[in-house]
Amino acid sequence: MIKSSFFRAVMVAAGMLTAFMAGAPANAEVTININKGNVQPLPIAVTDFLSNNDLGPQISQVIAADLQRSGLFAPINKQAFIEKISDPNRAPRFEDWKVINAQALVTGRITREGDGRLRAEFRLWDTYAGQQMTGQQFFTQPENWRRVAHIIADAIYKQITGEEGYFDTRVVFVSESGPKNARQRQLAIMDQDGFNVRMLTNSKDIVLTPRFSPSRQEITYMSFEGNQPRVYLLQLETGQREVVGNFPGMTFSPRFSPDGQKVIMSLQQEGNSNIYTMDLRSRTTTRLTSTQAIDTSPSYAPDGGRIAFESDRGGRPQIYVMNADGSGQTRISFGDGSYSTPVWSPRGDLIAFTKQSGGKFSIGVMRPDGSGERILTSGFHNEGPTWAPNGRVLMFFRQAAGAGGPQLYSIDLTGYNEVQIKTPSYGSDPAWSPLLE
């Protein structure tokens, strides 16, 4: 069990949000071991936070939805609650919660301060031990209430699993609209649950493969602006944009290095493509592969020491791994079919991929040496996996047979917990951010 920190400060768009412990966590018995494979979801009761408006129930609803979507928690229907919480600072009647098998209980309150800010406080209780596990409070502007809910869900997730949550994150993706023969594609960004969608580019130019920087609120992507394929950097908070570089031929799949100082990409020249890195400070490029094949979709290991990539040098697309300097290029995928879009897990233990075999597209994972291949989901067309920052959940896009356009989905590593992430329009090519700072 990892205890919550005593103090946490989080900068939000409209001001400073702070958190501190509201009581030392007890040596609680409620835990989830997420390393043992197929986990039975933990029954948890999330009560409506007390408030003099609708924000209390709304925040509770977001918390419960986050926890349920993880696949590790099973929020109990509020109609089964026996006790009505009237003071979240007092210990609840634990017997009333044990009767409905609530192994953990969340209570809280939302109040408005004199300066207009919201104060959100919550407590997490172990009902069977009869003890408080943790309690925190946060101050923020009213418009940031959804983010407060995500941060509370992260605190609950961490207290019970011992690992960082992933709810206070964003996803950048390609928003697709219009008829199939005249599809418009814009970069868009949203909260990880599909809310607060906003467009980052206009619909005039085709955009592809957005990717987050691991160290800044910045993305890299490819655009055909002016019918010229270029790689761009976009600062999310300021909207400032710059061209990474002008390269002959086509540029594919740009992605940041773990330290955010380089962009790795695939450059096409004379019918084949190879993998290059560009130092963002000096703007110098380094070639890592040199083949007559198509080498593309590079992705760094989290320590920056190795790179996974896709290559058809063996006749059809497969996954290869090499050292960061291009040496030691080794094939790791040997199953039936073709493998593409490898993405290294933030934990370093797995590589996610897209597999085409038997007329289906699958999302799967394997170890960096190619062993332990597991298919998580299959369908008519699944593609483009991206990892949550804790390495426990993947997001990808799917287009069903006969469907009008692609949709976003998430799935955990068990393969049993698949959820559609609804967006206002079609969505493809998602990229998950790190935890917000």
Side-chain angles (χ1 to χ4, degrees):
M1 178 73 66
I2 298 177
K3 296 182 180 181
S4 300
S5 61
F6 179 77
F7 180 84
R8 178 184 181 190
V10 183
M11 180 66 74
V12 293
M16 182 68 72
L17 180 153
T18 58
F20 59 89
M21 294 298 299
N27 294 322
E29 299 175 358
V30 175
T31 60
I32 297 177
N33 183 354
I34 59 181
N35 295 306
K36 72 177 185 180
N38 187 12
V39 176
Q40 186 70 26
L42 178 82
I44 187 170
V46 182
T47 63
D48 285 342
F49 284 20
L50 300 180
S51 66
N52 56 7
N53 52 37
D54 294 334
L55 273 185
Q58 289 173 345
I59 287 176
S60 300
Q61 184 178 8
V62 172
I63 294 169
D66 279 348
L67 296 175
Q68 183 173 37
R69 199 165 48 254
S70 75
L72 300 178
F73 299 85
I76 296 171
N77 191 315
K78 294 177 182 177
Q79 294 181 349
F81 295 177
I82 298 172
E83 181 184 11
K84 181 177 177 62
I85 299 296
S86 58
D87 183 356
N89 294 324
R90 295 180 58 186
R93 297 196 302 266
F94 294 111
E95 291 300 322
D96 287 352
W97 300 100
K98 288 192 285 186
V99 166
I100 62 173
N101 195 34
Q103 297 183 34
L105 169 66
V106 181
T107 62
R109 188 196 329 257
I110 306 297
T111 55
R112 187 179 292 271
E113 299 292 286
D115 58 5
R117 294 182 303 161
L118 292 181
R119 180 174 67 182
E121 53 187 308
F122 85 98
R123 293 176 186 267
L124 174 65
W125 305 88
D126 181 337
T127 59
Y128 283 82
Q131 295 175 328
Q132 177 180 309
M133 299 174 68
T134 188
Q136 299 182 30
Q137 66 178 0
F138 306 88
F139 296 88
T140 190
Q141 299 300 322
E143 58 267 28
N144 296 317
W145 67 269
R146 290 192 67 89
R147 187 170 176 203
V148 170
H150 294 319
I151 292 173
I152 291 174
D154 277 334
I156 295 167
Y157 184 102
K158 182 174 182 178
Q159 183 65 37
I160 294 179
T161 69
E163 296 203 0
E164 295 291 341
Y166 60 92
F167 306 119
D168 186 28
T169 56
R170 297 188 287 184
V171 173
V172 64
F173 66 102
V174 176
S175 176
E176 303 187 16
S177 59
K180 192 172 184 179
N181 60 352
R183 190 63 52 84
Q184 295 181 334
R185 293 175 172 86
Q186 300 172 257
L187 285 191
I189 193 168
M190 65 180 182
D191 296 346
Q192 52 78 28
D193 58 356
F195 286 82
N196 292 330
V197 176
R198 64 183 176 94
M199 298 301 162
L200 299 175
T201 62
N202 60 39
S203 58
K204 295 180 181 179
D205 305 297
I206 296 175
V207 291
L208 299 169
T209 60
R211 301 290 181 258
F212 265 97
S213 167
S215 56
R216 296 180 298 274
Q217 288 300 301
E218 180 180 45
I219 61 170
T220 180
Y221 68 98
M222 178 185 171
S223 174
F224 285 86
E225 186 171 328
N227 294 321
Q228 294 293 322
R230 292 188 177 96
V231 175
Y232 289 88
L233 295 178
L234 175 65
Q235 300 288 340
L236 292 175
E237 300 304 328
T238 66
Q240 181 180 353
R241 191 182 67 155
E242 61 178 307
V243 178
V244 172
N246 291 310
F247 307 102
M250 295 285 287
T251 311
F252 297 101
S253 307
R255 193 183 292 271
F256 286 95
S257 61
D259 61 7
Q261 299 301 316
K262 295 179 181 179
V263 168
I264 190 169
M265 66 197 99
S266 177
L267 303 182
Q268 184 180 35
Q269 298 172 334
E270 299 179 355
N272 61 295
S273 64
N274 283 283
I275 295 172
Y276 293 73
T277 61
M278 170 175 272
D279 188 296
L280 293 176
R281 295 161 295 187
S282 66
R283 298 302 169 115
T284 58
T285 58
T286 302
R287 184 169 179 168
L288 299 183
T289 67
S290 182
T291 69
Q292 297 302 308
I294 297 176
D295 296 343
T296 188
S297 299
S299 173
Y300 277 99
D303 64 1
R306 290 181 291 170
I307 298 165
F309 64 100
E310 168 193 340
S311 177
D312 67 354
R313 64 185 67 180
R316 61 184 180 185
Q318 298 290 339
I319 298 175
Y320 290 73
V321 169
M322 63 181 170
N323 296 323
D325 62 0
S327 64
Q329 298 178 23
T330 305
R331 178 176 165 178
I332 65 168
S333 63
F334 292 94
D336 294 334
S338 300
Y339 294 76
S340 59
T341 66
V343 189
W344 218 303
S345 165
R347 302 171 64 88
D349 58 341
L350 295 170
I351 294 173
F353 57 84
T354 301
K355 181 178 182 179
Q356 185 178 3
S357 178
K360 293 183 178 180
F361 285 79
S362 304
I363 303 296
V365 295
M366 65 174 65
R367 298 188 187 97
D369 63 0
S371 64
E373 178 180 327
R374 289 189 295 119
I375 298 300
L376 303 180
T377 184
S378 297
F380 175 74
H381 188 180
N382 298 319
E383 197 171 351
T386 181
W387 289 95
N390 69 353
R392 295 297 183 184
V393 180
L394 287 162
M395 192 175 292
F396 63 97
F397 69 93
R398 163 180 294 158
Q399 181 153 344
Q407 306 283 353
L408 301 181
Y409 287 79
S410 67
I411 192 166
D412 66 2
L413 289 180
T414 69
Y416 292 104
N417 184 44
E418 184 175 297
V419 180
Q420 182 180 354
I421 308 300
K422 295 182 179 180
T423 54
S425 59
Y426 301 132
S428 63
D429 212 355
W432 218 314
S433 81
L435 275 173
L436 298 179
E437 295 295 337

